[in-house]
Coordinates of all heavy atoms in Angstrom, one line a residue:
L1429 N 18.1 -28.4 -46.4 CA 18.8 -27.6 -45.4 C 20.1 -27.0 -45.9 O 20.5 -26.0 -45.5 CB 19.1 -28.5 -44.2 CG 17.8 -29.2 -43.6 CD1 18.2 -30.0 -42.4 CD2 16.8 -28.1 -43.2
A1430 N 20.8 -27.7 -46.8 CA 22.1 -27.2 -47.3 C 21.9 -25.9 -48.1 O 22.8 -25.1 -48.1 CB 22.8 -28.2 -48.2
E1431 N 20.8 -25.7 -48.7 CA 20.5 -24.5 -49.4 C 20.0 -23.4 -48.5 O 20.1 -22.2 -48.9 CB 19.4 -24.8 -50.5 CG 19.8 -25.8 -51.5 CD 18.7 -26.2 -52.4 OE1 18.2 -25.3 -53.2 OE2 18.2 -27.3 -52.4
V1432 N 19.6 -23.7 -47.4 CA 19.0 -22.7 -46.4 C 20.2 -22.0 -45.7 O 20.1 -20.8 -45.5 CB 18.1 -23.4 -45.4 CG1 17.7 -22.4 -44.3 CG2 16.9 -24.0 -46.1
E1433 N 21.2 -22.7 -45.3 CA 22.3 -22.2 -44.5 C 22.9 -20.9 -45.1 O 23.0 -19.9 -44.3 CB 23.3 -23.2 -44.2 CG 24.2 -22.9 -43.0 CD 25.4 -22.0 -43.4 OE1 25.8 -21.9 -44.5 OE2 25.9 -21.3 -42.4
P1434 N 23.3 -20.8 -46.3 CA 23.8 -19.6 -46.9 C 22.9 -18.4 -46.8 O 23.3 -17.2 -46.6 CB 24.2 -19.9 -48.3 CG 24.2 -21.3 -48.4 CD 23.3 -21.9 -47.3
M1435 N 21.6 -18.6 -47.0 CA 20.6 -17.6 -46.9 C 20.5 -17.0 -45.5 O 20.5 -15.8 -45.3 CB 19.2 -18.1 -47.3 CG 19.2 -18.4 -48.8 SD 17.5 -19.0 -49.2 CE 17.8 -19.4 -50.9
Y1436 N 20.3 -17.9 -44.5 CA 20.3 -17.5 -43.1 C 21.6 -16.7 -42.7 O 21.5 -15.7 -42.0 CB 20.0 -18.6 -42.1 CG 18.6 -19.1 -42.0 CD1 18.3 -20.4 -41.6 CD2 17.5 -18.3 -42.3 CE1 17.0 -20.8 -41.4 CE2 16.2 -18.7 -42.2 CZ 16.0 -20.0 -41.8 OH 14.7 -20.4 -41.6
R1437 N 22.7 -17.3 -43.1 CA 24.0 -16.7 -42.8 C 24.0 -15.2 -43.3 O 24.4 -14.3 -42.6 CB 25.1 -17.5 -43.4 CG 26.5 -17.0 -43.0 CD 27.7 -17.9 -43.4 NE 27.3 -19.0 -44.2 CZ 27.5 -19.2 -45.5 NH1 28.0 -18.1 -46.2 NH2 27.2 -20.3 -46.1
R1438 N 23.6 -15.0 -44.6 CA 23.7 -13.7 -45.2 C 22.7 -12.7 -44.5 O 23.1 -11.6 -44.2 CB 23.3 -13.8 -46.7 CG 23.3 -12.5 -47.4 CD 24.7 -12.0 -47.5 NE 24.7 -10.7 -48.2 CZ 25.4 -9.7 -47.9 NH1 26.3 -9.8 -46.9 NH2 25.3 -8.5 -48.5
V1439 N 21.5 -13.2 -44.2 CA 20.6 -12.3 -43.4 C 21.2 -12.0 -42.1 O 21.1 -10.8 -41.6 CB 19.2 -13.0 -43.3 CG1 18.3 -12.3 -42.3 CG2 18.6 -13.2 -44.6
L1440 N 21.8 -12.9 -41.4 CA 22.3 -12.6 -40.1 C 23.4 -11.6 -40.2 O 23.5 -10.7 -39.3 CB 22.9 -13.9 -39.4 CG 21.8 -14.7 -38.6 CD1 22.4 -16.0 -38.2 CD2 21.3 -13.9 -37.5
I1441 N 24.3 -11.7 -41.1 CA 25.4 -10.7 -41.3 C 24.8 -9.4 -41.5 O 25.3 -8.4 -40.9 CB 26.3 -11.2 -42.4 CG1 27.1 -12.4 -42.0 CG2 27.3 -10.0 -42.8 CD1 27.9 -13.0 -43.2
I1442 N 23.8 -9.3 -42.4 CA 23.2 -8.0 -42.6 C 22.5 -7.4 -41.4 O 22.8 -6.2 -41.0 CB 22.1 -8.1 -43.7 CG1 22.8 -8.4 -45.1 CG2 21.3 -6.8 -43.8 CD1 21.9 -8.8 -46.2
L1443 N 21.8 -8.2 -40.6 CA 21.1 -7.7 -39.4 C 22.1 -7.4 -38.3 O 21.9 -6.3 -37.6 CB 20.1 -8.7 -38.9 CG 18.9 -9.0 -39.9 CD1 18.0 -10.1 -39.3 CD2 18.1 -7.7 -40.1
I1444 N 23.1 -8.2 -38.2 CA 24.1 -7.9 -37.2 C 24.8 -6.6 -37.5 O 25.1 -5.7 -36.6 CB 25.1 -9.0 -37.0 CG1 24.4 -10.2 -36.4 CG2 26.3 -8.6 -36.2 CD1 25.2 -11.5 -36.4
T1445 N 25.2 -6.4 -38.8 CA 25.8 -5.1 -39.2 C 25.0 -3.9 -38.9 O 25.4 -2.9 -38.4 CB 26.2 -5.2 -40.7 OG1 27.0 -6.3 -40.9 CG2 26.8 -3.9 -41.2
F1446 N 23.7 -4.0 -39.2 CA 22.8 -2.9 -38.9 C 22.7 -2.6 -37.4 O 22.6 -1.5 -37.0 CB 21.4 -3.1 -39.5 CG 21.3 -2.9 -41.0 CD1 20.4 -3.7 -41.7 CD2 21.9 -1.9 -41.6 CE1 20.3 -3.4 -43.1 CE2 21.8 -1.6 -42.9 CZ 21.0 -2.4 -43.7
T1447 N 22.7 -3.7 -36.6 CA 22.6 -3.5 -35.2 C 23.8 -2.8 -34.7 O 23.7 -2.0 -33.8 CB 22.4 -4.9 -34.5 OG1 21.2 -5.5 -35.0 CG2 22.3 -4.8 -33.0
I1448 N 25.0 -3.2 -35.2 CA 26.3 -2.6 -34.8 C 26.2 -1.1 -35.1 O 26.8 -0.3 -34.4 CB 27.5 -3.3 -35.4 CG1 27.6 -4.7 -34.8 CG2 28.7 -2.5 -35.3 CD1 28.6 -5.6 -35.5
Q1449 N 25.6 -0.8 -36.2 CA 25.5 0.6 -36.6 C 24.5 1.4 -35.9 O 24.3 2.6 -36.1 CB 25.3 0.7 -38.2 CG 26.4 0.1 -39.0 CD 26.1 0.1 -40.5 OE1 25.0 0.3 -40.9 NE2 27.1 -0.2 -41.2
G1450 N 23.8 0.7 -35.0 CA 22.8 1.5 -34.1 C 21.4 1.3 -34.5 O 20.5 2.0 -33.9
Y1451 N 21.1 0.6 -35.5 CA 19.7 0.4 -36.0 C 19.1 -0.8 -35.2 O 19.7 -1.9 -35.1 CB 19.6 0.1 -37.5 CG 20.1 1.3 -38.3 CD1 21.4 1.3 -38.8 CD2 19.3 2.4 -38.5 CE1 21.9 2.3 -39.6 CE2 19.8 3.5 -39.3 CZ 21.0 3.4 -39.8 OH 21.5 4.5 -40.5
Q1452 N 17.9 -0.6 -34.7 CA 17.2 -1.7 -34.0 C 16.7 -2.7 -35.0 O 16.0 -2.3 -36.0 CB 16.0 -1.1 -33.2 CG 15.3 -2.2 -32.4 CD 14.2 -1.6 -31.6 OE1 13.9 -0.4 -31.7 NE2 13.5 -2.5 -30.8
Q1453 N 17.0 -4.0 -34.8 CA 16.5 -5.0 -35.7 C 15.7 -6.0 -34.9 O 16.1 -6.9 -34.2 CB 17.7 -5.8 -36.3 CG 18.6 -4.9 -37.2 CD 17.8 -4.3 -38.3 OE1 17.0 -5.0 -39.0 NE2 18.0 -3.0 -38.6
I1454 N 14.4 -5.9 -35.1 CA 13.4 -6.7 -34.3 C 13.4 -8.1 -34.8 O 13.0 -9.0 -34.1 CB 12.0 -6.1 -34.3 CG1 11.5 -6.0 -35.7 CG2 12.0 -4.8 -33.6 CD1 10.0 -5.5 -35.8
K1455 N 13.9 -8.4 -36.0 CA 13.9 -9.8 -36.6 C 15.2 -10.5 -36.2 O 15.2 -11.7 -36.5 CB 13.7 -9.7 -38.1 CG 12.4 -9.2 -38.5 CD 11.3 -10.2 -38.3 CE 10.0 -9.7 -38.9 NZ 8.9 -10.5 -38.6
L1456 N 16.1 -9.9 -35.6 CA 17.4 -10.5 -35.4 C 17.3 -11.8 -34.5 O 17.8 -12.8 -34.9 CB 18.4 -9.5 -34.8 CG 19.8 -10.1 -34.4 CD1 20.5 -10.6 -35.7 CD2 20.6 -9.0 -33.8
E1457 N 16.6 -11.7 -33.4 CA 16.4 -12.8 -32.6 C 15.7 -14.0 -33.3 O 16.1 -15.2 -33.1 CB 15.7 -12.5 -31.3 CG 16.5 -11.6 -30.3 CD 17.9 -12.2 -30.0 OE1 17.9 -13.4 -29.6 OE2 18.9 -11.5 -30.0
T1458 N 14.8 -13.7 -34.1 CA 14.0 -14.7 -34.8 C 15.0 -15.4 -35.8 O 15.0 -16.7 -35.9 CB 12.8 -14.1 -35.6 OG1 12.0 -13.5 -34.6 CG2 12.1 -15.2 -36.4
V1459 N 15.8 -14.7 -36.5 CA 16.7 -15.3 -37.5 C 17.8 -16.1 -36.7 O 18.2 -17.2 -37.2 CB 17.3 -14.2 -38.4 CG1 18.4 -14.8 -39.3 CG2 16.3 -13.5 -39.1
I1460 N 18.2 -15.6 -35.6 CA 19.2 -16.4 -34.8 C 18.6 -17.7 -34.4 O 19.2 -18.8 -34.5 CB 19.7 -15.6 -33.6 CG1 20.6 -14.5 -34.0 CG2 20.4 -16.5 -32.6 CD1 21.0 -13.5 -32.9
K1461 N 17.3 -17.7 -33.9 CA 16.7 -18.9 -33.5 C 16.5 -19.9 -34.7 O 16.7 -21.1 -34.6 CB 15.3 -18.6 -32.9 CG 15.4 -18.0 -31.6 CD 14.0 -17.7 -31.0 CE 14.1 -16.9 -29.7 NZ 12.9 -16.5 -29.2
N1462 N 16.1 -19.3 -35.9 CA 16.0 -20.2 -37.1 C 17.3 -20.8 -37.5 O 17.4 -21.9 -37.9 CB 15.4 -19.3 -38.2 CG 14.0 -19.0 -38.0 OD1 13.3 -19.5 -37.2 ND2 13.5 -18.0 -38.8
Y1463 N 18.4 -20.0 -37.5 CA 19.7 -20.4 -37.8 C 20.2 -21.5 -36.9 O 20.7 -22.5 -37.3 CB 20.7 -19.2 -37.7 CG 22.1 -19.5 -38.2 CD1 22.4 -19.5 -39.6 CD2 23.1 -19.6 -37.3 CE1 23.6 -19.7 -40.0 CE2 24.4 -19.8 -37.8 CZ 24.7 -19.9 -39.1 OH 26.0 -20.1 -39.6
S1464 N 19.9 -21.3 -35.6 CA 20.2 -22.4 -34.6 C 19.4 -23.7 -34.8 O 20.0 -24.8 -34.8 CB 20.0 -21.9 -33.2 OG 20.8 -20.8 -32.9
A1465 N 18.1 -23.5 -35.1 CA 17.3 -24.7 -35.4 C 17.8 -25.4 -36.6 O 17.8 -26.7 -36.6 CB 15.8 -24.3 -35.5
L1466 N 18.2 -24.7 -37.6 CA 18.7 -25.3 -38.8 C 19.9 -26.2 -38.5 O 20.0 -27.4 -38.9 CB 19.1 -24.3 -39.8 CG 20.0 -24.7 -41.0 CD1 19.2 -25.6 -41.9 CD2 20.6 -23.5 -41.7
H1467 N 20.8 -25.7 -37.7 CA 22.0 -26.4 -37.4 C 21.7 -27.6 -36.4 O 22.4 -28.6 -36.5 CB 23.1 -25.5 -36.8 CG 23.7 -24.7 -37.9 ND1 24.3 -25.2 -39.1 CD2 23.8 -23.3 -38.1 CE1 24.7 -24.3 -39.9 NE2 24.4 -23.1 -39.3
H1468 N 20.7 -27.4 -35.6 CA 20.3 -28.5 -34.7 C 19.8 -29.7 -35.6 O 20.1 -30.8 -35.4 CB 19.2 -28.1 -33.7 CG 19.7 -27.5 -32.5 ND1 20.3 -28.1 -31.5 CD2 19.6 -26.2 -32.1 CE1 20.6 -27.3 -30.5 NE2 20.2 -26.1 -30.9
A1469 N 19.0 -29.3 -36.6 CA 18.5 -30.3 -37.5 C 19.6 -31.0 -38.3 O 19.4 -32.1 -38.7 CB 17.5 -29.6 -38.5
Q1470 N 20.7 -30.3 -38.5 CA 21.8 -30.9 -39.2 C 22.7 -31.7 -38.3 O 23.7 -32.2 -38.7 CB 22.6 -29.8 -39.9 CG 21.9 -29.1 -41.1 CD 22.7 -28.0 -41.7 OE1 23.3 -27.2 -41.0 NE2 22.6 -27.9 -43.0
G1471 N 22.4 -31.7 -37.0 CA 23.1 -32.5 -36.0 C 24.3 -31.8 -35.3 O 25.1 -32.5 -34.7
L1472 N 24.4 -30.5 -35.4 CA 25.5 -29.8 -34.8 C 25.2 -29.6 -33.3 O 24.0 -29.4 -32.9 CB 25.7 -28.4 -35.4 CG 26.3 -28.4 -36.8 CD1 26.4 -26.9 -37.3 CD2 27.6 -29.1 -36.9
S1473 N 26.3 -29.5 -32.5 CA 26.1 -29.3 -31.1 C 25.9 -27.8 -30.8 O 26.2 -27.0 -31.6 CB 27.4 -29.8 -30.3 OG 28.5 -28.9 -30.7
E1474 N 25.5 -27.6 -29.5 CA 25.3 -26.2 -29.1 C 26.6 -25.4 -29.2 O 26.6 -24.2 -29.6 CB 24.8 -26.1 -27.7 CG 23.3 -26.3 -27.5 CD 22.5 -25.2 -28.2 OE1 22.8 -24.0 -28.1 OE2 21.5 -25.5 -28.8
T1475 N 27.7 -26.0 -28.8 CA 29.0 -25.4 -28.9 C 29.3 -25.0 -30.3 O 29.8 -23.9 -30.6 CB 30.1 -26.3 -28.3 OG1 29.7 -26.7 -27.0 CG2 31.4 -25.6 -28.2
A1476 N 29.1 -25.9 -31.3 CA 29.4 -25.6 -32.7 C 28.5 -24.5 -33.2 O 29.0 -23.7 -34.0 CB 29.3 -26.9 -33.5
I1477 N 27.3 -24.5 -32.8 CA 26.3 -23.5 -33.3 C 26.8 -22.1 -32.7 O 26.8 -21.1 -33.5 CB 24.9 -23.8 -32.9 CG1 24.4 -25.1 -33.6 CG2 24.0 -22.7 -33.2 CD1 23.1 -25.7 -33.1
Q1478 N 27.1 -22.1 -31.5 CA 27.6 -20.8 -30.9 C 28.8 -20.3 -31.5 O 29.0 -19.1 -31.8 CB 27.8 -21.0 -29.4 CG 28.0 -19.7 -28.6 CD 26.8 -18.7 -28.8 OE1 25.7 -19.1 -28.6 NE2 27.1 -17.5 -29.2
A1479 N 29.7 -21.2 -31.9 CA 31.0 -20.8 -32.6 C 30.6 -20.2 -33.9 O 31.2 -19.2 -34.4 CB 31.9 -22.0 -32.8
K1480 N 29.7 -20.8 -34.7 CA 29.2 -20.2 -35.9 C 28.6 -18.8 -35.8 O 28.9 -17.9 -36.5 CB 28.2 -21.2 -36.6 CG 28.8 -22.4 -37.3 CD 27.8 -23.2 -38.0 CE 28.4 -24.3 -38.8 NZ 29.0 -23.8 -40.0
L1481 N 27.8 -18.7 -34.7 CA 27.2 -17.4 -34.5 C 28.3 -16.3 -34.1 O 28.2 -15.2 -34.6 CB 26.2 -17.5 -33.4 CG 24.9 -18.1 -33.8 CD1 24.0 -18.4 -32.5 CD2 24.1 -17.3 -34.7
D1482 N 29.2 -16.7 -33.3 CA 30.3 -15.8 -32.9 C 31.1 -15.4 -34.2 O 31.5 -14.3 -34.3 CB 31.2 -16.5 -31.9 CG 30.6 -16.7 -30.5 OD1 29.5 -16.0 -30.3 OD2 31.1 -17.5 -29.7

Side-chain angles (χ1 to χ4, degrees):
L1429 304 181
E1431 296 173 67
V1432 174
E1433 199 277 335
M1435 291 180 185
Y1436 279 159
R1437 183 174 4 103
R1438 182 70 181 136
V1439 169
L1440 275 172
I1441 290 170
I1442 291 167
L1443 293 178
I1444 290 169
T1445 300
F1446 282 145
T1447 302
I1448 290 169
Q1449 293 175 353
Y1451 298 98
Q1452 183 180 3
Q1453 296 301 316
I1454 58 174
K1455 297 285 186 183
L1456 180 59
E1457 290 302 315
T1458 300
V1459 176
I1460 289 172
K1461 288 177 186 177
N1462 291 343
Y1463 187 77
S1464 297
L1466 166 69
H1467 286 303
H1468 277 289
Q1470 292 177 320
L1472 290 179
S1473 68
E1474 277 297 320
T1475 304
I1477 294 168
Q1478 189 59 50
K1480 284 184 171 285
L1481 287 168
D1482 291 343

